Amino acid sequence: MSSSAPLFETIEPDEPEYEQRTSASGTINPPPPTQSGGPRPTQMASSPEDAESVNLREGIAGILRQSAHPLVLSFLYFFRIAAITVYILCGFFISNYVLSSVIVVVLLAMDFWNCRNVAGRRLVGLRYWNQVDDDGESYWVFESRDPSRPANPIDSKMFWIAVYTFPLLWLALLIVSLLKFNLSFVPIVVLALVFNVTNAVGFTYADRDAKQKWANNLASSGWNMGMGGLGGQILTGVVKNSVGRVFG
């Protein structure tokens, strides 16, 4: 499985928001008022700790307010939840098997395309695709955003939750269908698993590839800053081995 060099220019960073001001005592001052006298909009989370506190205190509304791309995040969960909901409830409200199957398949296809081409690029700065060379061999191509411009913590956390949670839900539905001998819907669940697992594997390798390139760039920068010779080799080896053990 090989990868090409990331095209940093094609994945844009999150738009910067105003920064929190911290007093000398360590307390966070309230945001300055706008010209109209009203409070400034809610600030986006700047760290994983802020994202965790928002999730616990404010729920879905707080998550969307703190997200850098709330519309993209909403559509990511909408397509995934809608596909599962229609699959579970179609037997109660839609008697036509073909119609219900088409609706679920369309939602799955829209979710697959949206997650791979829109949500991954906007929320975590990652994108992947499979490419075929002139010799007929296929290989993965990964694209990542510049690591100096990290993603919004809430966007990143909610994206990875969606990527890893929904394949498990579809797997549970597959087990239920097999136990109930409801084999007519098994092909739909298998298709859902293929779509969801493909995105999970693709983005996992894209994230690993981005971190590996970050480690290589860090080692190269250390070399260029005068740490050549034995010191540069030691730094390069330590960084690459550490990233390989953690993400490899």
Side-chain angles (χ1 to χ4, degrees), residues 91-106:
F92 298 97
F93 300 100
I94 303 177
S95 58
N96 191 325
Y97 170 79
V98 176
L99 178 60
S100 60
S101 300
V102 169
I103 294 175
V104 175
V105 171
V106 169

Side-chain angles (χ1 to χ4, degrees), residues 193-213:
L193 280 173
V194 170
F195 282 160
N196 282 264
V197 171
T198 299
N199 270 332
V201 173
F203 280 112
T204 298
Y205 276 101
D207 184 58
R208 182 184 303 176
D209 181 78
K211 289 180 171 64
Q212 185 66 47
K213 287 183 173 65

Side-chain angles (χ1 to χ4, degrees), residues 129-147:
W129 64 91
N130 190 268
Q131 187 167 314
V132 180
D133 58 15
D134 297 334
D135 297 330
E137 296 183 0
S138 63
Y139 59 93
W140 291 93
V141 179
F142 303 118
E143 190 177 70
S144 58
R145 184 165 50 200
D146 191 332

Side-chain angles (χ1 to χ4, degrees), residues 24-104:
S25 61
T27 58
I28 299 176
N29 297 326
T34 59
Q35 294 181 354
S36 60
R40 291 291 296 270
T42 304
Q43 183 184 355
M44 295 187 303
S46 58
S47 67
E49 290 76 12
D50 293 341
E52 183 69 25
S53 62
V54 169
N55 291 345
L56 294 177
R57 294 196 314 267
E58 303 184 15
I60 296 177
I63 291 174
L64 295 179
R65 282 198 300 268
Q66 297 288 324
S67 170
H69 306 286
L71 186 62
V72 176
L73 185 61
S74 299
F75 273 108
L76 173 65
Y77 277 84
F78 169 77
F79 287 128
R80 300 200 156 207
I81 294 175
I84 288 184
T85 303
V86 173
Y87 170 79
I88 295 176
L89 301 180
C90 64
F92 298 97
F93 300 100
I94 303 177
S95 58
N96 191 325
Y97 170 79
V98 176
L99 178 60
S100 60
S101 300
V102 169
I103 294 175
V104 175

